[in-house]
Amino acid sequence: MQTSPACGESSRHELELALGEQINAVLSATRALSERSAAHFHADLQPAAFHIARWLYAFGPARPSAIAEAVGMDRSSTSTLIGKMRSLGLLDSSPAPEDRRSIIVGLSEQGRRQVAATLEERGKEFYARTQDWSEDDLAHLIELLARLTSERPP
């Protein structure tokens, strides 16, 4: 015979389920926003191209292999996207100083402008969702998210 959980356990379980639903909703909304951002960046490119461009915007020029590792893509896909982005004028490349057989890629001026415009548009959408929140609510959410995502000792 199965016994029902105590009232406190049931309430805790319901809260954990609700938390899981809200985390899934945040992840889905983030994924959708990323897709829209990628389309805003350049409609003819796969969304992964925007991830490459954002990484380059944040960290600067790098070898394609380092970019692939940083964004979690295989080298072949990264190389293909980099080639397409170069042909669209979004990236520049130059020989690597220490090994002239390798290249370093970075955002072109046009690429930097497009990433900046896309991030600004993305920020407007996020701001629209939180503009009516109090500073205390924002601070509390930041604190709770930091607690949720911090590494916990085993």
Side-chain angles (χ1 to χ4, degrees), residues 3 42 53 69 89 98 115 132 145 148:
T3 60
H42 201 289
E69 184 176 328
E98 64 280 352
V115 171
D132 295 333
L145 289 172
L148 181 66

Side-chain angles (χ1 to χ4, degrees), residues 41-46 49 81-91 108 110-111 114:
F41 174 67
H42 201 289
D44 295 335
L45 291 171
Q46 297 173 16
L81 281 173
I82 285 172
K84 182 138 189 184
M85 293 168 75
R86 284 175 61 194
S87 72
L88 293 168
L90 300 170
L91 297 181
S108 65
Q110 176 188 349
Q114 282 186 236

Side-chain angles (χ1 to χ4, degrees), residues 51-62:
H51 295 297
I52 290 171
R54 267 181 49 187
W55 189 88
L56 288 168
Y57 190 78
F59 298 103

Side-chain angles (χ1 to χ4, degrees), residues 33-113:
L33 180 56
S34 291
E35 295 288 324
R36 288 191 304 278
S37 296
H40 182 274
F41 174 67
H42 201 289
D44 295 335
L45 291 171
Q46 297 173 16
F50 182 59
H51 295 297
I52 290 171
R54 267 181 49 187
W55 189 88
L56 288 168
Y57 190 78
F59 298 103
R63 283 194 164 90
S65 58
I67 297 167
E69 184 176 328
V71 299
M73 292 174 55
D74 65 72
R75 289 181 183 195
S76 175
S77 298
T78 303
S79 180
T80 300
L81 281 173
I82 285 172
K84 182 138 189 184
M85 293 168 75
R86 284 175 61 194
S87 72
L88 293 168
L90 300 170
L91 297 181
D92 293 326
S93 64
S94 59
E98 64 280 352
D99 180 0
R100 308 290 288 168
R101 296 170 295 170
S102 296
I103 64 165
I104 302 290
V105 292
L107 290 169
S108 65
E109 186 55 41
Q110 176 188 349
R112 277 190 291 281
R113 281 194 310 271

Side-chain angles (χ1 to χ4, degrees), residues 9 26 29 60 78 91 95 104 133-134:
E9 289 176 21
V26 167
T78 303
L91 297 181
I104 302 290
W133 293 23
S134 71

